[in-house]
Amino acid sequence: MKKVIPILAGRAAAPRFAGGPLADTRGRPMRDLRISVTDRCNFRCVYCMPREVFDSSYRFLPHSAILSFEEIARLAGIFVDLGVKKIRLTGGEPLVRRDLPRLVQMLSSLGAELTLTTNGSLLAKHAAALADAGLDRVTVSLDSLDDATFRAMNDADFPVARVLEGIEAAVAAGLSPVKINMVVKRGTNDADLVAMAERWRGTGHIVRFIEFMDVGATNGWRMDDVVPSAEVIKRINQVWALEPIDPNYPGEVAERWRYADGAGEIGVISSVTQAFCSSCNRMRLSTEGSLFTCLFAQSGHDLKTLLRAGASDEALRDEIAAVWQGRTDRYSEIRTLETAKRPKVEMSYIGG
Ligand code: SAM
């Protein structure tokens, strides 16, 4: 992947960030930070890390290239100083990174909400330690309750039952309410979406139905495979009446709907059919320390070189601020069949 030279190198430093909301060229504040702690995963979900590409010859990042917990924690502190309110650990599969609770503990004192997105496969083992270390909440990806469909989608023959055990362990550890993410792919698992809604109705946990996105360049994305969120809502509404509710905060990714009978809420994430670029407040820090201001980016801004060259907190803060302030992207608003073919960075690398 192309590396972009640190943007302050070789020219006068941008004005120091002086507090207050940090805004990009479209006035979007930087509120959320997603940190990818590994580019590796123990699943090979067909829409994310297809086995034909991520096979035994695929070259994942060597350990020396990935940020250490100390480096991540230092940068996270600077992000919080710059106004970040929520940090999400992701990947790859974050729980395959050894000793993750240690990182959680290092981040837990920063004052930001701390969450984790996981495929749930190792959650039963780690939920208590993560909660003890200070994790606030967890999002578990689960694409079907039908075991055969789920095993085929994760392409690792991993059973649904063990993800459900992971969710139970998270609840027992106090990481509630759990969010459950289901990527809906037409003809693959869309027949299961009502069953998924039914399973979590009345539990206090929140299922979010995600449109299949053209992230990366390897998942063979086609518009025909996308089930628009409007259709998801229509299909669930035919069984239990739904009504829209306000976002919890400006820029929330999921659009919220509640059951009219009071049995809780669901969410839909409609990156393809209802672009939410105008309120996107997310910065991403990749496994090897590059900044990405868009999930659909083709390249990032290398922060690690500056970090490892001994830069001060102030220099790192200025660099991060300048990247955000120079941000212009709005990929989902300009998506076409042509842009979908661009060589974009893989989601497992950039952090989902
Ligand atoms: N391994 C963790 C997990 O499974 O949740 C974290 C990383 S994963 C890349 C984060 C989320 O991105 C998961 O919910 C996954 O289903 C979703 N995802 C991956 N590829 C996607 C795609 N092409 N379209 C929509 N969502 C996708």
Side-chain angles (χ1 to χ4, degrees), residues 47-48 90-93 117-119 141 183 211 213 215 219 347:
Y47 53 78
C48 186
T90 179
E93 170 48 42
T117 300
T118 172
N119 62 26
S141 305
V183 175
E211 288 179 350
M213 298 184 287
V215 283
N219 69 5
M347 197 158 172

Side-chain angles (χ1 to χ4, degrees), residues 179 204-208 233 241-268 274:
K179 288 186 180 155
H205 307 307
I206 303 166
V207 189
R208 286 122 44 101
I233 293 298
L242 288 167
E243 41 198 44
I245 43 177
D246 289 338
N248 287 306
Y249 53 86
E252 189 173 25
V253 179
E255 186 187 290
R256 301 170 64 209
W257 293 76
R258 76 174 160 223
Y259 294 108
D261 64 5
E265 68 176 85
I266 61 168
V268 286
Q274 290 167 51

Side-chain angles (χ1 to χ4, degrees), residues 35-39 66 72 89-91 93-94 97 100 103 287:
I35 302 174
S36 175
V37 296
T38 178
D39 59 338
I66 72 177
I72 292 174
L89 300 178
T90 179
E93 170 48 42
R97 177 116 183 221
L100 195 74
L103 176 63
T287 315

Side-chain angles (χ1 to χ4, degrees), residues 267-282:
V268 286
I269 300 180
S270 326
S271 163
V272 179
T273 62
Q274 290 167 51
F276 40 81
C277 303
S278 62
S279 60
C280 176
N281 52 24
R282 280 168 293 290

